[in-house]
Structures are given as C-alpha cells and as structure tokens.
Amino acid sequence: MAISLEKGKKVSLKKGSQSGLGEILINLNWNTKPAKKGLFGMFGGGQGIDLDLGCLFELKDGQKGAVQALGNAFGSLQHLPFIALDGDDRTGAVTTGENLRIDGNKIALFKRILVYTFIYEGVANWQQADAVVTIKYPGAEDLIIKMDSYNSNDVMCGLALLENVNDETFSVEKIVQFYPGHQALDSAFHWGMRWQAGRK
C-alpha cells in the first residue's frame, strides 16, 4: 500500500514503537528516454535527462546547508547534517534512481528540510521526465509524490517540505513548485543562504 500526497496537504511521519523514526528514505525515479528528434528536437537534442535529487536543511541551532551532488555535498548519516545522498545517477540508468537518507532518530536537531530536484543536463520538460518521489520509513505506508504539474521550463522543482512538529513527528507537505534555480527556491522559502555557481 502507498499514499499519494495531494498538493498543499500535510501528512505526518510519527515515531512507532521504536525509539525514533528510524531511517527516512527519499527516492527519486524518472523516465530515462531522450526526447524525440524532429520538430521539437531542439529542446532535447536526443539526450536523456540528468535529474539531481537534493535538499536544503535547517537545524534548530541555526545551521543551514544543502545536500546534493552539485559541489560534491553528499552529506553524512553518521555526522552532521545526518542526511546523505547515496550517489549521482548521471544517466537515469540506475533502476533505483537517486536516494536521500535522513536519520529520523535525530529529528530533535532539525527544524525543517526542503527536498528538491533540478535538471542538471537534458531537456527542461518535466512531463517527459515523468519523475516520481517515494518517501519510505519503518513501519509505515510509502508516501508518493507525483510531479503532476508540468507547465514550466524552469529547471528547479521544490518537491516536499518536512518540518519538525514536536521532536517526534515530521509533517510532510507536497510542494511541486518550479523555480529558475537554487537562489529562487531559497528565496521562496526564506532560507537565506548564499549561492554561487558550481559543477560536478
């Protein structure tokens, strides 16, 4: 069983019988096929899409940062920020897609986490990418976030906002809103970080 989130609605990730939430897995999977050549070939160039999964985090003590492949900021599950990106799927050929892992047992340290994806290379056509995000954690049904809004040529998409409710519960809200880049996403959610161009 899985629960498909509606935009603007919140659901809760709550501690079960264990001491904490356990590991929260956020998976991004997408269609790997390149755009067809022809009339619209100029938009795709026959290349596949390189989607990157990442997140902004804010801790209760005021520390802020990003976990993403760009800039090799892969994070760590064993140390701050207790968020880690498994790797960077440059082609979409990895059947498991890309995965962010959050140590839910450290929830009391977090204020909020904003999960996003952006198109590093390839077509700025989200309908072609047909991306789906799945959030898994122990003892609960999977949460599905479908990218069912496509009318944007912006390369960045805010996917979901996780907020600490009471040090035992994360609220999860489906965002699926598009932005021209990291700075615009940051500004929309008042994160207040400084950004500079980077490569991977």
Side-chain angles (χ1 to χ4, degrees):
M1 289 289 293
I3 300 172
S4 183
L5 294 189
E6 296 180 33
K7 192 169 182 177
K9 298 288 181 70
K10 295 183 179 181
V11 299
S12 296
L13 305 185
K14 298 179 180 179
K15 290 203 300 189
S17 57
Q18 63 223 35
S19 59
L21 278 171
E23 182 180 283
I24 301 167
L25 173 68
I26 301 173
N27 171 262
L28 171 70
N29 236 316
W30 68 93
N31 179 15
T32 65
K33 295 177 182 178
K36 293 180 180 178
K37 294 181 178 180
L39 180 61
F40 298 105
M42 67 183 75
F43 297 110
Q47 295 181 349
I49 300 172
D50 180 12
L51 282 185
D52 277 2
L53 180 65
C55 72
L56 300 179
F57 64 84
E58 182 178 1
L59 304 182
K60 283 188 176 179
D61 66 4
Q63 291 186 66
K64 300 175 183 178
V67 174
Q68 59 179 23
L70 196 64
N72 292 315
F74 286 94
S76 172
L77 266 185
Q78 289 73 42
H79 310 285
L80 285 172
F82 300 107
I83 305 171
L85 181 66
D86 279 2
D88 179 21
D89 180 6
R90 296 298 295 271
T91 64
V94 179
T95 55
T96 54
E98 292 194 1
N99 296 290
L100 268 175
R101 299 176 189 274
I102 301 168
D103 185 348
N105 296 330
K106 303 290 187 182
I107 184 174
L109 298 176
F110 291 101
K111 181 178 179 181
R112 56 182 181 155
I113 299 169
L114 176 62
V115 181
Y116 57 79
T117 183
F118 62 96
I119 299 173
Y120 183 72
E121 287 180 340
V123 126
N125 181 333
W126 294 97
Q127 187 166 10
Q128 181 194 322
D130 194 25
V132 176
V133 175
T134 305
I135 300 175
K136 302 170 179 277
Y137 79 108
E141 294 175 312
D142 292 352
L143 301 179
I144 306 295
I145 297 175
K146 295 181 180 178
M147 293 186 64
D148 43 15
S149 298
Y150 303 123
N151 55 342
S152 177
N153 291 321
D154 289 333
V155 296
M156 171 77 71
C157 181
L159 295 168
L161 181 65
L162 284 70
E163 295 181 285
N164 184 345
V165 177
N166 56 10
D167 289 349
E168 294 185 354
T169 304
F170 269 128
S171 69
V172 182
E173 180 182 357
K174 176 179 176 178
I175 304 296
V176 187
Q177 183 67 44
F178 299 90
Y179 304 92
H182 287 75
Q183 184 67 62
L185 176 74
D186 181 305
S187 297
F189 289 87
H190 310 290
W191 227 270
M193 289 172 55
R194 295 181 180 179
W195 295 93
Q196 62 185 27
R199 295 194 64 81
K200 59 179 184 176

